[in-house]
Amino acid sequence: MFAVVPDPIPARMKGLNRAEICDANFQQFVREWDGPRDAAPADDAAILAGSALDARSFRELFESQLISRHLDLMARVLRVQNKVFYTIGSSGHEGNAMVARATRHTDPAFLHYRSGGFMAERFRKVPGMDPVMDSALSFAASADDPASGGRHKVWGSKPLWVLPQTSTIASHLPKALGTAIAVEHARRIGHVLPVPADSIVVCSFGDASSNHATAQTAFNAAAYTAYQKLPAPVLFVCEDNGIGISVKTPEGWIARNFAHRPDLDYFAADGLDLAAGYGDVERAVAHCRRTRRPTFLHLRTSRLMGHAGTDFEIEWRALAELCAVEASDPLLRSAAIALESGLLSKSELLELYEAMRVRCFAAAEDADSRPRLTRLDEVMAPLAPYSPEQVHAEATREPDAEARIAAFGSEAALPEGQPPKHLAVQINQALHDLFAKYPEALLFGEDVAQKGGVYTVTKGLQKTFGGRRVFNTLLDETTILGLAQGFANMGMLALPEIQYLAYFHNAGDQIRGEAASLQFFSNGQYRNPMVVRIASLGYQRGFGGHFHNDNSVAALRDIPGIVVGCPSRGDDAATMLRTLTAMAKVDGRVCLFLEPIALYMTKDLYAAGDGAWSTAYPPPDQAMTFGEARVYDAAATDLVVLTFGNGVPMSLRAARLIEAERGWKVRVVDLRWLLPLNEGEIARHVGECARVLVVDEGRRSAGVGEGIVTAIAEAGFGDTPLRRVVGADTFTPLAGAAFLVIPSEADIVAAALTMV
């Protein structure tokens, strides 16, 4: 909580490069070593008396540490030559190699960015792989980078089950926990895992990150799970170096905060000393694997050479403090162990050190000669894959006939044979069909199980398919979306529910920063397909205010790669759900399905009892084409209304009034797909009509309407008379006042009548 005021620093000291100092320190330490020296130990003998680490393991761990260190040193040198583009290093954290050695390469890993040692060691688990070259390609942003294809410097590997990510502070913890829960849950539903059934999940992060709300969410959810005696084999590895960029972590804070948390089992290990720390790391890993409980490994580390290459610590940190940190360099301790044990002589040690330097620089020069991404289409290729023919085939593939009959109770009860129904019922029927079709499908969220959701949309699903496939979660959207990613990582089909759109914003980074970015940053090697159902939009009567009448679609439209669909009627909801699910299955897409709350129970359109907004259930071999709009009165050309959601029935009613007032024939287009917008479809309708009205219940700023108007202008229809009917830039108030801030039918009519 208190800043360290640097001592006055002589000018001659300011020019010193701390990376060079760490490099020189190691060599000087070895050359001047005059400590005791034992006879060289056998490979399977303890490296030092009392150590759980044998000599062969120590040597390999030490080599992994050297790989990590020289990659850091290489990055600092070659960054200024524009051959390397990332300088956040792992120096001081090389002890995390012990975690890699104690775990398996099939234990999924979500890693801290200071995980060079871990990666170098995990590469040993699969013969024929090269940690130096692969890492150099990533540092160089080469298109040949096997982790991300040159899109970012990430620690990742498909064969090594390290899922590439650039997680913001602690945002990867919920999906790591979700993956651990998924490993255990697969057995309950008979799903075949892509990893061994006794796998654990490794998740590393820094001491500063442990304080983040997202981290605390994961710790709480892990303990919540364990408290109920449910397995959650996640190994949280807190790499405690005592500082976050320039903010000190109070001495002893991590141990005080985590050592005695119920249902989060605490272990501590010295990550600065391989001989002393390895036994404790092994115990933590073994405990997690054996008990299947969430385990917290507090790994002591140090941060050398600053936060990144641009962090000149000498300008804000006392020189004496810097020197003390550099004296804690784990490579110095490893060198001492190698010398004291007799494993290596001074000359052998220095030769090994220099050989690793040569190897890393040679790899970097090679990587610099490789191709880089030079075209936009190359950059975006893995972001939003779409395979139309395969998606259509999957969406229209019918469930097993017997499974359908079992799901609905009898052949006579199949929904396509029933009278027209409203939106909520048709979504429910479509979900029953999807669960009959996909045994790996899971639906979860708040109140979705016995209650069937706040609006009974999931009613009966748990009774039909059981509590292992339809279940309630704790009240936390971040955990819900973390679980969704975890289940998807393990090959299951996640259909999480977010109870209201306003609640999504609490956890939006789980989609924006994590789920939606995985295919991009893994070059399409990893995917976490899901269909997120969200009760959405406004016009709900008798209940609400801002948190239950949220129309902020803008927060979704900014997320690259996701698909956002919004049906306004029951048959569209069923066919859209099939297509979204097929996109998730075939192309690994992250899909959001916005369900207009105010239309859930709507049966009528023009007059009470007309039943005009109830629809027949489409048979399971029917699906909606991605991007396709629904058009009402396609022959009309006097005015086209472009809208979605609640705006559709409102616009249809307004169209009758406009026709009565002006005699205009009005075409109403329900866009249905909000991200990406079908700009070609929009342009086609505008080109066929004399006037354009955009009806968007969202706020004036940054809503869907802005995207529609932009598409019209960019298509060259800037001279076509156009009006936009939108909500106000305000939060939604309670009761009747809510209808003052969102468009009404009268607003639509009035806007149309101003056009000549």
Side-chain angles (χ1 to χ4, degrees), residues 284-298:
V285 170
H287 173 85
C288 185
R289 199 179 303 280
R290 184 184 71 255
T291 66
R292 319 303 287 165
R293 283 173 57 84
T295 304
F296 188 98
L297 173 58
H298 180 191

Side-chain angles (χ1 to χ4, degrees), residues 388-401:
E389 294 181 3
Q390 295 94 318
V391 166
H392 176 74
E394 180 63 24
T396 55
R397 180 174 64 85
E398 298 186 55
D400 176 76

Side-chain angles (χ1 to χ4, degrees), residues 383-552:
L383 175 65
Y386 177 47
S387 311
E389 294 181 3
Q390 295 94 318
V391 166
H392 176 74
E394 180 63 24
T396 55
R397 180 174 64 85
E398 298 186 55
D400 176 76
E402 292 185 6
R404 285 198 81 213
I405 291 171
F408 290 104
S410 68
E411 189 169 2
L414 293 176
E416 58 267 32
Q418 303 304 309
K421 297 289 196 313
H422 50 281
L423 177 66
V425 170
Q426 302 295 45
I427 294 174
N428 180 276
Q429 309 275 41
L431 289 171
H432 275 78
D433 252 339
L434 288 174
F435 267 62
K437 182 175 181 177
Y438 298 110
E440 72 275 21
L442 304 171
L443 188 147
F444 49 92
E446 301 160 18
D447 303 301
V448 300
Q450 298 91 334
K451 181 178 175 63
V454 173
Y455 300 97
T456 69
V457 176
T458 58
K459 183 178 180 180
L461 277 167
Q462 188 188 59
K463 183 177 180 181
T464 301
F465 296 101
R468 294 173 177 174
R469 296 184 62 193
V470 181
F471 51 90
N472 292 327
T473 66
L474 71 172
L475 196 155
D476 178 68
E477 288 73 28
T478 298
T479 297
I480 292 170
L481 295 177
L483 279 172
Q485 293 174 82
F487 286 123
N489 288 335
M490 292 294 102
M492 287 167 265
L493 177 61
L495 288 93
E497 177 182 295
I498 301 297
Q499 201 164 84
Y500 291 98
L501 180 56
Y503 299 168
F504 170 84
H505 307 316
N506 300 333
D509 191 52
Q510 286 300 301
I511 298 297
R512 184 189 183 280
E514 298 297 331
S517 69
L518 182 59
Q519 289 203 85
F520 182 78
F521 286 122
S522 71
N523 198 18
Q525 297 175 91
Y526 280 105
R527 37 187 259 171
N528 37 209
M530 65 185 72
V531 180
V532 184
R533 296 179 42 253
I534 310 177
S536 307
L537 308 180
Y539 298 96
Q540 190 176 187
R541 295 181 180 274
F543 179 54
H546 165 60
F547 283 103
H548 303 97
N549 280 292
D550 185 14
N551 51 18
S552 182

Side-chain angles (χ1 to χ4, degrees), residues 137-424:
L137 290 165
S138 191
F139 275 101
S142 168
D144 292 341
D145 165 27
S148 75
R151 287 166 187 82
H152 204 284
K153 162 64 185 70
V154 290
W155 295 120
S157 170
K158 178 70 172 176
L160 300 179
W161 268 100
V162 179
L163 287 77
Q165 59 190 19
T166 60
S167 293
T168 52
I169 297 172
S171 59
H172 57 303
L173 271 68
K175 68 181 182 183
L177 172 63
T179 304
I181 291 172
V183 167
E184 286 293 317
H185 197 77
R187 173 176 45 79
R188 301 189 196 101
I189 68 168
H191 174 71
V192 178
L193 283 168
V195 296
D198 66 342
S199 295
I200 66 172
V201 174
V202 180
C203 179
S204 60
F205 51 93
D207 50 291
S209 296
S210 73
N211 300 301
H212 198 278
T214 311
Q216 294 296 323
T217 287
F219 300 141
N220 178 72
Y224 180 93
T225 303
Y227 177 74
Q228 299 176 84
K229 306 276 192 283
L230 296 173
V234 58
L235 181 70
F236 291 120
V237 184
C238 180
E239 299 183 16
D240 184 1
N241 63 26
I243 195 167
I245 303 183
S246 67
V247 179
K248 300 286 186 63
T249 297
E251 183 72 27
W253 169 245
I254 297 299
R256 175 67 176 268
N257 197 14
F258 291 97
H260 305 292
R261 285 199 183 191
D263 296 306
L264 188 58
D265 302 340
Y266 177 88
F267 290 78
D270 189 350
L272 301 178
D273 187 328
L274 298 181
Y278 188 69
D280 293 320
V281 170
E282 273 195 319
R283 280 187 283 276
V285 170
H287 173 85
C288 185
R289 199 179 303 280
R290 184 184 71 255
T291 66
R292 319 303 287 165
R293 283 173 57 84
T295 304
F296 188 98
L297 173 58
H298 180 191
L299 191 68
R300 180 187 173 211
T301 62
S302 183
R303 192 188 76 191
L304 304 175
M305 300 167 11
H307 175 70
T310 54
D311 179 19
F312 298 103
E313 289 182 294
I314 194 71
E315 296 181 351
W316 58 268
R317 203 169 183 183
L319 180 58
E321 183 184 350
L322 270 178
C323 291
V325 169
E326 289 161 0
S328 71
D329 185 344
L331 263 63
L332 301 183
R333 177 57 185 151
S334 292
I337 294 170
L339 294 166
E340 180 183 341
S341 66
L343 185 68
L344 294 170
S345 67
K346 291 183 185 182
S347 60
E348 289 171 331
L349 192 48
L350 290 172
E351 183 179 340
L352 178 62
Y353 186 77
E354 289 305 320
M356 201 62 74
R357 186 199 308 276
V358 170
R359 182 181 171 191
C360 289
F361 271 84
E365 293 292 346
D366 186 353
D368 181 53
S369 70
R370 305 288 188 93
R372 293 191 172 96
L373 299 175
T374 57
R375 301 196 319 267
L376 178 61
D377 63 317
E378 290 178 325
V379 172
M380 295 184 64
L383 175 65
Y386 177 47
S387 311
E389 294 181 3
Q390 295 94 318
V391 166
H392 176 74
E394 180 63 24
T396 55
R397 180 174 64 85
E398 298 186 55
D400 176 76
E402 292 185 6
R404 285 198 81 213
I405 291 171
F408 290 104
S410 68
E411 189 169 2
L414 293 176
E416 58 267 32
Q418 303 304 309
K421 297 289 196 313
H422 50 281
L423 177 66

